């Protein structure tokens, strides 16, 4: 799989309240997933799969910074992201911001989002992809939600091995 045709830029706040951009994590591989904490099925499954990927990488996972970028900034405050990820996926750093900031981040990754009102509040439909940025914060790879943990881990292992040579 080749690099996606995206800009992969963002200016957000992490779940500790610290402003971050894609350059904040230079010298580390960024594994980027978009989603929202109120999602009941797709997002939890995607995060669990990426946890499995990181487990399969073993010690090589230390080269990764797994990021979860919200598509629902109205509800996903830094505090909510920190509590949610801390309880379910502690390796991930949650990123949020204003609606304009998260919208710009989604657009730079070509992530489609659409808010849909429901009787219980609202949901946010969005593209289900995982993106990899290299240590220079340039787009390197992407995987659709249909790829399984084993194949993503194998691809990541090959990418990391090639980068070391």
């Amino acid at each position: 799989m080749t690099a996606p045709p995206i800009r992969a830029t963002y200016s957000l706040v992490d779940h500790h309240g610290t402003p971050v951009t894609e350059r904040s994590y230079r010298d580390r591989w960024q594994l980027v997933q978009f989603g929202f904490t109120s999602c009941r099925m797709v997002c939890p499954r995607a995060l669990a799969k990426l946890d499995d990927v990181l487990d399969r990488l073993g010690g090589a996972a230390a080269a990764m910074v797994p990021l979860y970028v919200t598509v629902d900034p109205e509800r996903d405050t830094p505090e909510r992201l920190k509590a949610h990820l801390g309880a379910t996926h502690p390796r991930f750093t949650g990123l949020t911001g204003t609606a304009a900031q998260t919208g710009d981040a989604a657009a730079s990754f070509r992530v489609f989002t659409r808010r849909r009102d429901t009787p219980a509040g609202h949901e946010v439909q969005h593209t289900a992809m995982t993106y990899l940025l290299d240590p220079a914060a340039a787009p390197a790879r992407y995987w659709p939600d249909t790829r399984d943990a084993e194949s993503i881990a194998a691809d990541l292992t090959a990418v990391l091995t090639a980068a070391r040579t």
Side-chain angles (χ1 to χ4, degrees), residues 9-45:
T9 60
Y10 55 88
S11 180
L12 299 167
V13 176
D14 72 14
H15 68 231
H16 300 291
T18 304
V20 295
T21 71
E22 71 283 353
R23 293 175 304 282
S24 300
Y25 303 105
R26 285 181 90 95
D27 300 326
R28 294 190 65 199
W29 295 86
Q30 297 175 57
L31 195 60
V32 182
Q33 180 74 38
F34 284 79
F36 62 109
T37 62
S38 298
C39 181
R40 287 183 245 156
M41 199 175 334
V42 175
C43 300
R45 185 181 66 225

Side-chain angles (χ1 to χ4, degrees), residues 30-70:
Q30 297 175 57
L31 195 60
V32 182
Q33 180 74 38
F34 284 79
F36 62 109
T37 62
S38 298
C39 181
R40 287 183 245 156
M41 199 175 334
V42 175
C43 300
R45 185 181 66 225
L47 287 171
K49 177 172 55 178
L50 292 176
D51 272 332
D52 186 8
V53 167
L54 294 168
D55 287 344
R56 290 170 185 266
L57 290 177
M64 299 277 154
V65 57
L67 301 172
Y68 189 59
V69 182
T70 188

Side-chain angles (χ1 to χ4, degrees), residues 2-159:
T2 60
I6 59 174
R7 287 190 334 266
T9 60
Y10 55 88
S11 180
L12 299 167
V13 176
D14 72 14
H15 68 231
H16 300 291
T18 304
V20 295
T21 71
E22 71 283 353
R23 293 175 304 282
S24 300
Y25 303 105
R26 285 181 90 95
D27 300 326
R28 294 190 65 199
W29 295 86
Q30 297 175 57
L31 195 60
V32 182
Q33 180 74 38
F34 284 79
F36 62 109
T37 62
S38 298
C39 181
R40 287 183 245 156
M41 199 175 334
V42 175
C43 300
R45 185 181 66 225
L47 287 171
K49 177 172 55 178
L50 292 176
D51 272 332
D52 186 8
V53 167
L54 294 168
D55 287 344
R56 290 170 185 266
L57 290 177
M64 299 277 154
V65 57
L67 301 172
Y68 189 59
V69 182
T70 188
V71 295
D72 187 10
E74 181 181 323
R75 292 185 290 198
D76 287 344
T77 62
E79 297 79 18
R80 183 168 181 166
L81 282 166
K82 185 176 183 178
H84 177 77
L85 293 171
T88 58
H89 305 282
R91 289 187 274 203
F92 281 80
T93 298
L95 303 182
T96 189
T98 65
Q101 288 172 312
T102 58
D104 288 348
S108 83
F109 281 81
R110 293 189 175 179
V111 169
F112 160 85
T113 65
R114 179 175 48 206
R115 180 185 161 131
R116 185 174 69 97
D117 291 329
T118 66
H122 70 270
E123 293 180 349
V124 183
Q125 298 171 327
H126 62 90
T127 304
M129 290 278 215
T130 302
Y131 302 90
L132 179 67
L133 304 184
D134 70 18
R141 294 282 191 284
Y142 67 104
W143 301 275
D145 188 53
T146 55
R147 291 286 298 272
D148 64 14
E150 183 178 4
S151 66
I152 294 172
D155 196 21
L156 272 171
T157 298
V159 168

